[in-house]
Amino acid sequence: MNAEDARDTSLEGRLSRPGVRLESVGNGIARVSWSAELQAQGFEAASAAVRDEVAAALDELKQARVEALVDPDDLLGTRIATWAGLQREGVMRGALEQDGELRDRVVFARLRTDAPIHKSRGFRALLNSFLPRKRAIAQMLVRDAEGRVLLCNLTYKQDWDLPGGVVEVNEAPHVAVAREVEEELGLDLTPGGLVLTDWLPPWSGWDDAVCLVFDGGVHEASLAERIVPQAREIRTARFCTLQEVHSLCADFTARRIDSALANLDSGGSSYSESGRPR
């Protein structure tokens, strides 16, 4: 990350660490950056200099927030920001114009109210901010007495799928699947045990995800008559034969359903990848 060594006039009054620049970008908000020369010294030296500057900005200059914008491809810059105690907050798309193009930047920041990083709570928060987070999807396998499976015709894709959806942050998967079924179909169903854990690789613009399939039990076919589809996401929903499952669903969804049904028959649970048992 390139930076001028001179201090922004709004924060002048104290000497900046060599190679580190601090500028005001708002009321009580400062942005820290560092020179290529400092970064070339390695992440330990650079992160120590940036960490000291961040601490001074928060403690001495009474800034409420210190942030840094790092090129997503700059792995060393990412390490420097992290070891300086800045928590990763996300990606700001088109944050800067460079060579006539808008470029993304990863936003790192530290607040004056953040727990000290030498304390366990502060260190855990720092780790939590940049460790990988995987999307979780919870689905329900609902059957009728004839062995048919409840499928949804979704508005945002052509193929059919099991009822369910994305697990929200800090939401238990079994709570998520019951919520999704109630929101999207108007059905109050209590999920049973987990019958399949299926990993989905990156596909068609989606990142990878873990799909958890819960047993939705066996119901009368008349259950389908009580369905009230959420118009924004569900065109219709109905019980389908296994032949229809393979006709209406994407191949990996059909494999997932096959694996889940096999586990129900055996009374167990298993792990698969795109529906293929491992």
Side-chain angles (χ1 to χ4, degrees):
M1 177 185 294
N2 293 325
E4 299 176 6
D5 289 344
R7 175 64 60 82
D8 186 271
T9 55
S10 63
L11 292 176
E12 64 184 4
R14 58 182 296 276
L15 293 176
S16 174
R17 275 75 181 168
V20 183
R21 179 173 185 253
L22 198 66
E23 59 180 321
S24 175
V25 292
N27 185 20
I29 303 175
R31 182 171 297 161
V32 65
S33 56
W34 50 93
S35 66
E37 291 75 17
L38 177 62
Q39 182 156 315
Q41 297 179 26
F43 86 92
E44 291 186 356
S47 61
V50 175
R51 182 169 57 247
D52 289 345
E53 192 73 9
V54 170
L58 296 174
D59 299 336
E60 299 173 22
L61 301 178
K62 305 303 180 185
Q63 298 294 295
R65 170 187 170 92
V66 179
E67 65 183 29
L69 303 182
V70 180
D71 187 327
D73 297 326
D74 186 356
L75 300 183
L76 180 54
T78 295
R79 292 188 72 191
I80 291 170
T82 299
W83 286 96
L86 301 172
Q87 295 186 29
R88 179 185 170 114
E89 294 185 339
V91 176
M92 185 185 297
R93 297 184 301 153
L96 298 175
E97 184 175 352
Q98 182 178 346
D99 299 328
E101 295 183 7
L102 292 178
R103 303 296 180 89
D104 296 347
R105 287 295 181 265
V106 181
V107 181
F108 293 85
R110 183 160 189 81
L111 306 183
R112 191 163 58 196
T113 55
D114 286 343
I117 57 176
H118 64 274
K119 299 289 188 180
S120 58
R121 179 181 177 185
F123 188 63
R124 286 196 301 269
L126 181 64
L127 290 177
N128 186 65
S129 74
F130 67 82
L131 287 176
R133 300 182 182 185
K134 195 173 296 293
R135 182 178 294 112
I137 299 169
Q139 293 186 327
M140 190 178 291
L141 184 63
V142 181
R143 296 155 291 145
D144 69 3
E146 297 180 12
R148 297 181 300 175
V149 175
L150 183 64
L151 292 180
C152 299
N153 183 9
L154 306 174
T155 60
Y156 51 88
K157 61 180 182 179
Q158 294 301 313
D159 48 279
W160 293 48
D161 208 342
L162 292 172
V166 175
V167 180
E168 300 291 346
V169 176
N170 297 323
E171 183 181 37
H174 79 280
V175 173
V177 73
R179 172 184 56 76
E180 288 282 351
V181 169
E182 194 281 327
E183 290 177 354
E184 296 185 351
L185 302 180
L187 298 177
D188 182 12
L189 300 180
T190 300
L194 180 68
V195 295
L196 183 69
T197 300
D198 188 34
W199 177 71
L200 306 177
W203 175 79
S204 189
W206 291 101
D207 291 335
D208 74 319
V210 173
C211 183
L212 305 173
V213 182
F214 292 88
D215 181 10
V218 177
H219 302 265
E220 295 294 331
S222 59
L223 176 74
E225 300 173 5
R226 305 200 328 253
I227 292 175
V228 181
Q230 182 189 60
R232 183 169 58 88
E233 296 190 28
I234 309 294
R235 292 191 184 97
T236 186
R238 62 181 175 87
F239 283 108
C240 299
T241 65
L242 292 185
Q243 183 177 358
E244 289 175 314
V245 166
H246 284 265
S247 173
L248 297 172
C249 297
D251 56 354
F252 57 87
T253 301
R255 289 194 300 268
R256 184 187 314 135
I257 294 172
D258 287 342
S259 295
L261 289 171
N263 288 338
L264 281 175
D265 290 339
S266 65
S269 179
S270 67
Y271 169 76
S272 63
E273 296 181 357
S274 285
R276 297 185 178 93
R278 297 290 295 177

